[in-house]
């Protein structure tokens, strides 16, 4: 089982990025996927979650209205569209799964079974 986050980079405040989480080794159809982030010196925090059938999505209050999570099960990929980025969004972003079909809110790091390598997002002018 492998997850790989990609799409990070340097962007100015107010800009946008789209992160991708590509899954291999299992069928994405059955599992909810979570996004987490970790800023320097801070604990890893939940950002978003999307259920296996895309019927439910959850967002941290800090990103609600700016970030949108989606998935393409046929492509085994989950996306995180990030708009109106702020310097406070600077972090390493990770995708993960607890191998359940439904989300438990944005999720807790300790509850995840599989993690992907992160991708760095830097918001700076």
């Amino acid at each position: 089982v492998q997850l790989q986050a990609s799409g990070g980079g340097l962007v100015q405040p107010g800009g946008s990025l789209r992160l991708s989480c590509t899954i291999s080794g299992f069928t994405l159809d059955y599992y909810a996927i979570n996004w987490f982030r970790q800023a320097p010196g801070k604990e890893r925090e939940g950002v978003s979650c999307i259920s296996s059938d895309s019927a439910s999505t959850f967002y941290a209050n800090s990103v609600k209205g700016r970030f949108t999570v989606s998935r393409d099960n046929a492509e085994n990929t989950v996306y995180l569209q990030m708009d109106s980025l702020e310097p406070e969004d600077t972090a390493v972003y990770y995708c993960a799964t607890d191998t359940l079909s439904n989300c438990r809110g944005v999720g807790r790091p300790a509850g995840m079974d599989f993690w992907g390598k992160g991708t760095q997002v830097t918001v700076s002018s």
Side-chain angles (χ1 to χ4, degrees):
V1 175
Q2 288 190 324
L3 298 89
Q4 178 65 59
S6 62
L10 173 64
V11 64
Q12 291 187 343
S16 297
L17 282 174
R18 188 177 79 158
L19 305 185
S20 299
C21 176
T22 303
I23 292 88
S24 60
F26 66 90
T27 302
L28 179 61
D29 303 37
Y30 304 124
Y31 302 124
I33 299 295
N34 296 72
W35 285 96
F36 292 86
R37 68 184 180 186
Q38 187 166 18
K42 295 188 176 181
E43 293 186 354
R44 194 168 296 188
E45 63 174 356
V47 174
S48 182
C49 180
I50 184 167
S51 63
S52 61
D53 60 359
S54 302
S56 299
T57 57
F58 294 86
Y59 299 94
N61 287 335
S62 57
V63 308
K64 203 171 292 183
R66 300 187 298 120
F67 289 13
T68 304
V69 63
S70 62
R71 62 194 291 155
D72 185 341
N73 286 350
E75 295 294 327
N76 262 21
T77 303
V78 175
Y79 302 99
L80 185 67
Q81 177 67 40
M82 306 187 298
D83 299 318
S84 302
L85 282 162
E86 304 169 351
E88 292 74 22
D89 296 317
T90 295
V92 178
Y93 284 72
Y94 302 87
C95 53
T97 183
D98 59 6
T99 62
L100 298 176
S101 60
N102 293 317
C103 296
R104 297 184 178 185
V106 296
R108 299 179 300 109
M112 299 297 114
D113 294 323
F114 298 102
W115 289 88
K117 292 183 180 179
T119 184
Q120 175 72 47
V121 172
T122 302
V123 184
S124 175
S125 54

